[in-house]
Each structure stands twice: as structure tokens, then as C-alpha cells.
């Protein structure tokens, strides 16, 4: 079934939801409608999208996005792709765990790496990175640490554990050079 | 005829002559090393895809038992060799260092694969340690992605050579005051604290990667994303399925 047909169907079943076709996928414009849309797709007698095969996130700089791939095992339909876009500064999307149990870990993963909050998730915490990790490493503005030079924390830790630190490294860590101009790196030619 | 300094060393020619007559001449040192190198028990643990090759090496086709190293021990207390087979993530590093600390002397370590040597394909990742040699000393580096089982066997043979070359009285684990406990790094807010142990590893003076690729490792923010709402790019030649609405035009 084409995305356009599904959109027409949803327009009939969930009239309140605004849906746009982006390429081959359905963009649910208001995240609050997501629950109703997914429930309608799941219970529709022609579609019966009973399987959430993947839930991922991506960062489009202006917004964050979650992408859902739905299949029907019964009707052999799929994938039906849903997209939800949220603002970077307050990314909140309703959780699908109540509808698809398999969403639990995938939502935790998307939360861990992109910092999208899935509201209603029973246990939303980091899954890959450890507790106490700061930031969301898959976001485009995440800056990795420089793993070739020691920082102040490292020096303190090494001193506490009785490891000898060369003077040069100690100097560098305690008087770090001024950070370079914070220009975005030129993206590689695609 | 006074004793020369090397009187206890029998030269190889004489040794082989004697062995033909059924007389074995050896030294304590050789016997000891022969025993050690012929029964290297590796520790049973793998971290990623390289572990699969390690498993293949242990199976019948490559048969690591030919080198006396088939007893993969489930406990670090019983093993002589740690094969770090696979990607060492930052989250896994404390455990790997702790296991190494728990092994009894003499202990050896083989890093198997590009990942455990230097981060491999994931060197730019936020989550992968750029080489386990940042925290613990390595005896044999075994490059490859993954190294074939033959390569692991070769690495094992190199390790056997190393063991053979050690002299009992001089080996470090019989010296007084040896502590080979390496501090176990902690998980910090941005990665491991510390990033490396300067007593074990220090950054290279020349960054060969930088020299070769002409740019530092990209750690700064990237800020460009495709615009999905724009007209879709023309499909690549390897597009999955032809669309039914666009049948191929018949050529006239
Ligand atoms: S070196 Fe290659 S094969 Fe080995 S763990 Fe890394 S990615 Fe996998």
C-alpha cells in the first residue's frame, strides 16, 4: 500500500491528525497525535500493522526526528514508515511501549544517544552509555573529548592512584591552550 | 684447563649429536621455558567479531591444541594468556584491566585485531578505547580485521619465542617488590578517567594519521543535514525495487 493511500485512510479514521507524505514516509506533524495514529494503523482491518520492527532517531540540525518502521506480519505489509519531528531544545515524544512492547529498549537507545524523551516510558534511562555520562553522543553538536591529551581530572586521578605523570603532560593539563576557533568543521563532500 | 665462563652452556651442535645417541642435555631454564610455552592456557573471553576467529582457531580445523593452548580457562586465576579479541569499548575497559590484574604471574597478553590495537574501524567513535595498550602492557600485537586463525597461531608462536627467550633468574615476576597491578580506569562524564596510563603508554610524538590524511581526528561539531523535504535525489543505480508507477520506457 502506498504512503498516499495510507494517509487518505488515516485522514478518514483520525481526522484530527495532520499527516504529510515525505518521500515514502508519513510525517505526523504533531507528536501528540502519534498514539492515535499508531493505534489506528494497528487496528485497521486492512493494514493490521502489528509489528514495530525498528525505532530510530536522527538529528537534522534544525530538529530531531524519530522514525518508526511498522510491518504487518498477518497481511504481509511493510514497511510503513512514520516520522515524528521535535524541536532540539525540548524533544518530547509519546512513548509507544504501551502499544508495542518491543519499543522499550529502542526508545531507551534513542534517549541515550539523542536525548529524546519518550513520555510514558516505564523505565527511561541510559542503555549503552553508563550512568553519569554527560551529553548525547549521536547528536551533531556533540563534541568528543580529545583522547590524546590528559585533562585536569585525569591528572588528579593519576596522582590519587600513585601513577607517575610526566611534567610536560602535567603542565599541558593544568594550563590548557586556549580553545581553537569554534568553527563547524566543513562537512566532507558527499 | 680452567673453566671458561660459559662452561655450563653446551653448544647446539654437541647437543644434537648427543641427542642422536639418546642423551638429552638441557638446562633448568630450557626445561622450564619448554614447559611454559607448551601449555599456555588462554583465558576464555571474547569481545567482538575477532572472538569468532579465536573460536575457529580453537576448533578442529585449526586446532590450537597442537600448540598446547587448547585449555581455554574460564577464570583469570588459571590462565597464562589473555587474548583481547575484539573491540574494547570504554565501558568494557575497567573489566578488561581488572581481569588482567587478576591473572597470576607470569601472564601474557595478545591483542587480536585492529580494534584492540588502536580502535580499528571505530577509532573516531565516542565509545571505543583506542587500544588496550593504553592501560596494560601488550606482548604481541596481531593486526588484521579480523586476523585469520593462521595469524592467531602465528601470534602464539611469536609468544612462544618470547617465552623461550626469557631467563628464569632475570624474569620480572621473580624480582623483589614487583607489583604488576594496573590502576583500573573509571567511567567519567565524557569517557574514561584517565584517558590513558602514562606509565604504560604515551601518545606518539608524530601523529601519523594526521600526516597521512592531512586533518586531525574529527571531534568538532558537524552541522549539516540532508533536507528531506527538498526534491528527492535521483535514485542511485542500485535502487532496491523499480517503482510500479514508472515502468521502464520502451526504447524505440
Ligand atoms: S578488528 Fe575487525 S574483526 Fe576484529 S573486532 Fe575489530 S572490527 Fe571486529
Amino acid at each position: 500500500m502506498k504512503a498516499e493511500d495510507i494517509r487518505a485512510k488515516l485522514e478518514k479514521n483520525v481526522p484530527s491528525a495532520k499527516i504529510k507524505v515525505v518521500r515514502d514516509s508519513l510525517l505526523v506533524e504533531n507528536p501528540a497525535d502519534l498514539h492515535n495514529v499508531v493505534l489506528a494503523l494497528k487496528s485497521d482491518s486492512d493494514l493490521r500493522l502489528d509489528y514495530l520492527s525498528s525505532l530510530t532517531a536522527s538529528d537534522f540540525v534544525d530538529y530531531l526526528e524519530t522514525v518508526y518502521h511498522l510491518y504487518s506480519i498477518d497481511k504481509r505489509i511493510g514497511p510503513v514508515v512514520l516520522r515524528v519531528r521535535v524541536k532540539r531544545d525540548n524533544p518530547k515524544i509519546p512513548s509507544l511501549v504501551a502499544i508495542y512492547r518491543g519499543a522499550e529498549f529502542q526508545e531507551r537507545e534513542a534517549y541515550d544517544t539523542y536525548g529524546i524523551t519518550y513520555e510514558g516510558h516505564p523505565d527511561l534511562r541510559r542503555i549503552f552509555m553508563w550512568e553519569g555520562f554527560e551529553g548525547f553522543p549521536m547528536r551533531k553538536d556533540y563534541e568528543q573529548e580529545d583522547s590524546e591529551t590528559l585533562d585536569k581530572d585525569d591528572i588528579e586521578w593519576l596522582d590519587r592512584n600513585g601513577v607517575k605523570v610526566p611534567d610536560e603532560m602535567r603542565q599541558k593539563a593544568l594550563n590548557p591552550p586556549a580553545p581553537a576557533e569554534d568553527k563547524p568543521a566543513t562537512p566532507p563532500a558527499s | 684447563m680452567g673453566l671458561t665462563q660459559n662452561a655450563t652452556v653446551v653448544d647446539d651442535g654437541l647437543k644434537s649429536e648427543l641427542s642422536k645417541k639418546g642423551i638429552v642435555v638441557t638446562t633448568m631454564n630450557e626445561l622450564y621455558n619448554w614447559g611454559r610455552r607448551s601449555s599456555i592456557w588462554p583465558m576464555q573471553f571474547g569481545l567482538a567479531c575477532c572472538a569468532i576467529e579465536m573460536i575457529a582457531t580453537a576448533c578442529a580445523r585449526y586446532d590450537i591444541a597442537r600448540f598446547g593452548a587448547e585449555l581455554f580457562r574460564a577464570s583469570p586465576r588459571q590462565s597464562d594468556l589473555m587474548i583481547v579479541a575484539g573491540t574494547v569499548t570504554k565501558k568494557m575497559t575497567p573489566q578488561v584491566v581488572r581481569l588482567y590484574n587478576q591473572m597470576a604471574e607470569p601472564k601474557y597478553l595478545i591483542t587480536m585485531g585492529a580494534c584492540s590495537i588502536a580502535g580499528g574501524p571505530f577509532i573516531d567513535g565516542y565509545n571505543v578505547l583506542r587500544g588496550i595498550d593504553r592501560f596494560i602492557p601488550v606482548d604481541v600485537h596481531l593486526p588484521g580485521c579480523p586476523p585469520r586463525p593462521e595469524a592467531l597461531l602465528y601470534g602464539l608462536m611469536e609468544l612462544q619465542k618470547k617465552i623461550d627467550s626469557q631467563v628464569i633468574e632475570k624474569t620480572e615476576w621473580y624480582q623483589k617488590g614487583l607489583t604488576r597491578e594496573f590502576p583500573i580506569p573509571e567511567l567519567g562524564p565524557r569517557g574514561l578517567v584517565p584517558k590513558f596510563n602514562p606509565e604504560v603508554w604515551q601518545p606518539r610524538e608524530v601523529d601519523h594519521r594526521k600526516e597521512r590524511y592531512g586533518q586531525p581526528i574529527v571531534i568538532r561539531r558537524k552541522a549539516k543535514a540532508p533536507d528531506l523535504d527538498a526534491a528527492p535525489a535521483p535514485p542511485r543505480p542500485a535502487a532496491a525495487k523499480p517503482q510500479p508507477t514508472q515502468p521502464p520506457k520502451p526504447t524505440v
Side-chain angles (χ1 to χ4, degrees):
Chain A
M1 197 177 273
K2 306 262 303 174
E4 201 43 67
D5 303 339
I6 297 174
R7 194 188 72 89
K9 206 180 243 304
L10 281 172
E11 213 158 55
K12 220 166 57 205
N13 296 348
V14 195
S16 63
K18 260 175 75 191
I19 305 221
K20 199 172 121 193
V21 175
V22 175
R23 306 224 171 152
D24 282 339
S25 56
L26 300 162
L27 172 68
V28 182
E29 304 231 357
N30 183 359
D33 295 331
L34 183 70
H35 251 139
N36 290 340
V37 169
V38 171
L39 276 178
L41 290 174
K42 194 179 181 187
S43 55
D44 189 282
S45 55
D46 295 335
L47 287 169
R48 279 226 231 124
L49 296 172
D50 48 8
Y51 176 53
L52 174 72
S53 108
S54 101
L55 184 161
T56 57
S58 42
D59 183 350
F60 282 86
V61 182
D62 300 331
Y63 51 86
L64 298 173
E65 194 180 77
T66 300
V67 186
Y68 304 86
H69 285 73
L70 301 171
Y71 283 81
S72 166
I73 290 180
D74 193 13
K75 302 268 176 197
R76 308 206 170 197
I77 294 173
V80 172
V81 185
L82 292 182
R83 290 168 189 274
V84 181
R85 289 176 184 171
V86 278
K87 292 216 182 68
R88 288 183 84 85
D89 44 359
N90 187 22
K92 281 188 183 156
I93 295 179
S95 165
L96 288 194
V97 177
I99 304 173
Y100 299 109
R101 195 67 181 78
E104 183 180 349
F105 277 13
Q106 302 196 40
E107 284 183 354
R108 273 179 67 185
E109 183 186 345
Y111 163 73
D112 190 356
T113 48
Y114 286 93
I116 300 174
T117 312
Y118 293 90
E119 290 183 304
H121 190 287
D123 180 26
L124 194 65
R125 60 195 161 93
R126 289 193 181 275
I127 185 167
F128 288 148
M129 306 313 284
W130 49 91
E131 292 294 323
F133 187 82
E134 279 170 12
F136 302 108
M138 295 287 278
R139 283 203 187 182
K140 283 212 156 81
D141 57 1
Y142 181 78
E143 267 184 48
Q144 258 184 60
E145 60 176 8
D146 177 5
S147 50
E148 313 295 310
T149 46
L150 294 176
D151 293 338
K152 223 168 154 188
D153 295 357
D154 301 330
I155 302 284
E156 278 165 18
W157 190 94
L158 289 166
D159 285 345
R160 242 183 295 134
N161 285 274
V163 180
K164 267 196 232 99
V165 184
D167 286 341
E168 196 186 312
M169 283 184 195
R170 188 184 296 274
Q171 284 308 320
K172 230 177 168 181
L174 299 182
N175 316 306
E181 190 74 3
D182 194 18
K183 260 186 275 168
T186 42
S190 52
Chain B
M1 197 176 78
L3 282 177
T4 58
Q5 210 180 0
N6 288 336
T8 51
V9 178
V10 181
D11 78 277
D12 288 345
L14 181 57
K15 241 195 254 180
S16 94
E17 279 303 310
L18 285 172
S19 73
K20 278 179 204 151
K21 306 234 159 56
I23 302 168
V24 178
V25 181
T26 186
T27 61
M28 197 54 218
N29 196 52
E30 269 170 35
L31 204 62
Y32 177 75
N33 281 345
W34 170 75
R36 289 197 307 128
R37 78 160 144 74
S38 313
S39 62
I40 304 173
W41 290 1
M43 186 150 69
Q44 185 174 36
F45 91 111
L47 297 174
C49 11
C50 275
I52 306 295
E53 295 297 296
M54 185 176 73
I55 294 161
T57 317
C59 292
R61 188 174 184 103
Y62 295 100
D63 198 11
I64 203 168
R66 292 177 293 152
F67 301 88
E70 77 279 21
L71 280 176
F72 278 81
R73 305 310 293 181
S75 159
R77 304 284 186 206
Q78 300 169 352
S79 28
D80 309 303
L81 167 66
M82 182 179 202
I83 304 176
V84 184
T87 319
V88 188
T89 55
K90 286 181 181 165
K91 205 173 173 181
M92 194 65 188
T93 310
Q95 281 78 287
V96 175
V97 177
R98 184 172 290 123
L99 284 172
Y100 186 77
N101 282 344
Q102 286 173 349
M103 285 166 66
E105 294 284 357
K107 54 191 173 187
Y108 300 93
L109 189 134
I110 294 181
T111 52
M112 186 180 179
C115 283
S116 51
I117 293 174
F122 315 110
I123 184 165
D124 284 333
Y126 57 88
N127 53 347
V128 172
L129 181 73
R130 294 184 185 165
I132 191 64
D133 57 353
R134 283 171 176 243
F135 291 104
I136 41 183
V138 176
D139 292 288
V140 178
H141 289 278
L142 192 60
C145 182
R148 285 187 56 89
E150 293 94 322
L152 180 55
L153 293 177
Y154 179 69
L156 191 75
M157 281 152 69
E158 288 297 306
L159 184 67
Q160 289 183 328
K161 276 188 210 157
K162 176 168 182 171
I163 292 176
D164 262 341
S165 72
Q166 289 177 321
V167 183
I168 311 179
E169 311 91 67
K170 291 193 186 139
T171 46
E172 44 198 353
W173 59 89
Y174 285 136
Q175 308 303 315
K176 266 206 185 118
L178 169 84
T179 46
R180 282 228 283 184
E181 279 263 327
F182 294 92
I184 296 163
E186 282 164 24
L187 299 171
R190 306 196 67 205
L192 286 170
V193 178
K195 291 167 192 153
F196 53 86
N197 182 345
E199 278 181 10
V200 180
W201 182 92
Q202 290 188 6
R204 279 176 226 99
E205 270 165 26
V206 185
D207 190 343
H208 293 287
R209 250 177 76 117
K210 194 168 167 182
E211 266 185 3
R212 180 148 182 194
Y213 300 109
Q215 59 167 38
I217 295 163
V218 180
I219 52 171
R220 299 207 156 267
R221 55 185 63 170
K222 312 145 236 167
K224 214 185 162 201
D227 185 4
L228 282 192
D229 298 328
R236 292 199 201 120
K241 270 188 226 158
Q243 293 295 314
T245 49
Q246 298 158 335
K249 282 186 196 118
T251 44
V252 184

